[in-house]
Amino acid sequence: MTRSRTKPKGKTRAAAIPAGAARRIGIVSLGCPKALVDSERILTRLRAEGYEIAPTYQRADLVLVNTCGFIDSARKESLDAIGEALLENGKVVVTGCLGAESGLIRERFPDVLAVTGPHQYEAVVEAVHKALPPKHDPYVDLVPPEGIKLTPRHYAYLKISEGCNHRCSFCIIPHLRGDLASRPVAEVLREAERLALAGVKELLVISQDTSAYGVDLKHAAGEWRGQSWRAHFNDLARGLGELGVWVRLHYVYPYPHVDEVIQLMAAGKILPYLDIPFQHSSPQILKSMRRPANQEKTLERLRRWRAIAPDIAVRSTFIVGFPGETEADFRHLLGWLEEAQLDRVGCFKYEPVAGAAANALDGAVPEAVKEERWHRFMQAQQTISRAKLEAKVGRTMPVIVDRVEDGRAVARSMADAPEIDGNVFVRAARSLKPGDIVSVTIEKAGDYDLEARPA
């Protein structure tokens, strides 16, 4: 899971609001990109109503804490963040996944002003209104067309749905966010178009199950640019591919219809990049996880995808130390990893999550064994990653610049998503600026990053 944190800083409680002053909102945004999009939507609404966004606790009249409750360590981080916000500011509204457990939060922090669950935008805004009434009526021109963003200007997350229909035994997302609820296709495409027109160069498509998009809508059609588009993963990808920006697909389950999107990658319409959460390879462990268990078929599909789009980058996440995982299961995973040759991989040591079905499983793996397996897994993937990156030395490829530091650009290739994958460090890049997409020649490879010069 990817985590982002945008938090106000400072050590002083908010001062009284001077007469006529604009109301100022601070925010601590935790968790995955989907939660970040929730924060952006809330801030956009509040900014439209005349509220200002405060960068510090000291300058904020009220602090929003958008929590994560996916695993126990995330829950602890969220509770710590609420406590810190109360200590440093005193006026706190809690929302997000952990907000679904309002009793827990109220018991520990009785002084919070309000607690709302995930994607309850109206409830959050109502709580802010109650604690900090807006100064005046809304003025739309206070908000840019793309809304308030917490990401750099050149890339943005595009959330296409909420919730999930899967019932993985280690996950409580359906409990926190409900079943799959897709946004209408025309609404998604119009938002993407607004972002592109506002200067966004890269759209990162996110949801809990991106390739299931539109199933709950029975793929109902919508009109965009004078054409009819289905609320379907393939139609959505095709539409986004018309915008002339980088389109990166995250959280894609490998359903059969995903094969059609590989053709769009080969044609240069969307980035040759897929983020697929495989989680494991052992049939026994996948069955305990309540996930698809035919990994041999997945290996064949990976080979087929690479034949169609040779530059495709596949990233994934895995869990080691799941209850019942034997040494044989783990070796099966290492063997599968060697055969799959994935480009980018993340690995988590299993943590029990309150309310998850996996908690009832026998065969708990000792922490020391989890740690040892995690190191073996990462060492195996490091060897794969290094070889894949070394094969790129001498090649010329496009990169997108995230920032420039001391004459060197920190950029990303088409194979690199922000914050979770590697970087391309470009020397002699003083003339570049964030958001530039330029061609570079790869000069050197490390375990996870590349070094390059302008082509």
Side-chain angles (χ1 to χ4, degrees):
M1 172 190 63
T2 300
R3 296 187 189 177
S4 57
R5 182 175 179 129
T6 303
K7 58 176 286 185
K9 301 173 183 177
K11 297 294 181 181
T12 306
R13 286 179 176 270
I17 306 170
R23 278 57 173 145
R24 299 160 301 189
I25 305 297
I27 188 163
V28 178
S29 187
L30 304 174
C32 63
K34 294 180 284 297
L36 187 71
V37 173
D38 290 343
S39 295
E40 291 173 340
R41 289 180 178 174
I42 292 167
L43 291 182
T44 296
R45 169 72 180 274
L46 293 173
R47 187 70 182 92
E49 296 181 349
Y51 292 88
E52 292 183 356
I53 312 305
T56 66
Y57 285 125
Q58 182 177 2
R59 294 175 60 185
D61 301 310
L62 180 148
V63 177
L64 298 175
V65 181
N66 191 357
T67 59
C68 179
F70 182 61
I71 57 178
D72 285 354
S73 56
R75 290 160 61 89
K76 181 181 183 302
E77 182 183 23
S78 294
L79 292 171
D80 289 346
I82 296 168
E84 178 183 291
L86 280 169
L87 177 66
E88 307 295 350
N89 182 276
K91 290 186 175 181
V92 177
V93 171
V94 178
T95 187
C97 286
L98 193 60
E101 300 183 45
S102 60
L104 168 70
I105 294 171
R106 291 280 188 191
E107 180 180 357
R108 183 160 176 177
F109 304 108
D111 293 334
V112 295
L113 300 176
V115 181
T116 73
H119 54 87
Q120 293 182 0
Y121 313 118
E122 295 299 326
V124 176
V125 172
E126 182 180 343
V128 172
H129 286 173
K130 183 176 180 180
L132 202 65
K135 178 185 173 185
H136 50 65
D137 292 334
Y139 286 96
V140 174
D141 60 346
L142 291 174
V143 179
E146 70 274 21
I148 302 297
K149 293 295 172 187
L150 299 174
T151 52
R153 187 172 178 228
H154 60 280
Y155 70 81
Y157 293 102
L158 180 68
K159 182 156 64 170
I160 63 175
S161 66
E162 295 283 0
C164 183
N165 289 340
H166 294 285
R167 294 296 183 266
C168 301
S169 64
F170 55 83
C171 180
I172 59 170
I173 290 297
H175 168 70
L176 296 174
R177 290 184 172 259
D179 289 336
L180 178 71
S182 302
R183 297 173 60 196
V185 64
E187 178 184 306
V188 175
L189 290 171
R190 282 195 294 267
E191 179 183 346
E193 187 172 35
R194 286 196 302 272
L195 290 167
L197 290 172
V200 169
K201 303 290 185 65
E202 179 181 10
L203 292 172
L204 299 106
V205 181
I206 57 170
S207 69
Q208 204 61 43
D209 183 359
T210 297
S211 41
Y213 170 72
V215 169
D216 56 308
L217 301 178
K218 298 182 179 178
H219 305 305
E223 185 173 327
W224 177 67
R225 288 187 171 182
Q227 290 183 274
S228 179
W229 303 79
R230 293 180 305 155
H232 188 284
F233 176 66
N234 296 358
D235 274 33
L236 181 63
R238 185 165 54 87
L240 295 174
E242 299 297 316
L243 295 174
V245 300
W246 284 16
V247 176
R248 192 179 300 278
L249 301 175
H250 286 276
Y251 316 123
V252 177
Y253 281 75
Y255 304 128
H257 64 263
V258 172
D259 292 358
E260 297 178 29
V261 173
I262 309 302
Q263 300 289 347
L264 293 174
M265 297 179 181
K269 293 292 187 178
I270 62 175
L271 293 185
Y273 180 100
L274 278 180
D275 178 359
I276 303 176
F278 290 122
Q279 307 298 10
H280 215 282
S281 70
S282 163
Q284 174 185 320
I285 298 303
L286 288 170
K287 183 177 180 180
S288 295
M289 290 179 169
R290 300 179 186 168
R291 295 183 64 81
N294 193 345
Q295 296 299 68
E296 290 75 16
K297 185 177 180 180
T298 300
L299 290 171
E300 175 55 36
R301 291 178 74 197
L302 286 170
R303 286 189 284 269
R304 193 161 65 246
W305 293 347
R306 287 167 176 152
I308 297 169
D311 287 333
I312 188 172
V314 180
R315 98 168 313 276
S316 188
T317 52
F318 294 85
I319 298 172
V320 296
F322 192 79
E325 183 189 64
T326 64
E327 177 64 19
D329 293 322
F330 180 70
R331 288 181 179 176
H332 187 285
L333 175 58
L334 292 183
W336 188 91
L337 191 68
E338 176 65 29
E339 191 167 354
Q341 291 287 299
L342 302 180
D343 299 83
R344 300 293 192 188
V345 168
C347 183
F348 300 91
K349 290 168 279 190
Y350 172 76
E351 290 184 31
V353 178
N359 297 343
L361 296 174
D362 295 328
V365 177
E367 292 301 320
V369 176
K370 291 181 191 177
E371 183 75 12
E372 188 266 344
R373 288 177 182 172
W374 182 86
H375 282 288
R376 285 163 63 193
F377 180 98
M378 294 307 296
Q379 185 175 21
Q381 178 57 32
Q382 186 179 63
T383 300
I384 295 169
S385 175
R386 186 187 304 116
K388 280 184 163 285
L389 293 180
E390 286 176 351
K392 296 181 179 182
V393 173
R395 290 184 56 186
T396 297
M397 62 181 63
V399 298
I400 187 167
V401 177
D402 283 335
R403 60 187 185 276
V404 178
E405 302 171 342
D406 300 324
R408 184 179 75 161
V410 180
R412 291 177 289 106
S413 73
M414 291 184 176
D416 303 306
E419 299 191 10
I420 58 174
D421 293 328
N423 291 306
V424 181
F425 298 101
V426 186
R427 63 181 178 86
R430 292 186 184 277
S431 63
L432 299 180
K433 60 184 183 300
D436 284 347
I437 297 178
V438 297
S439 291
V440 300
T441 299
I442 306 302
E443 296 183 311
K444 184 178 179 182
D447 291 336
Y448 302 108
D449 301 316
L450 295 167
E451 297 181 20
R453 58 175 171 79

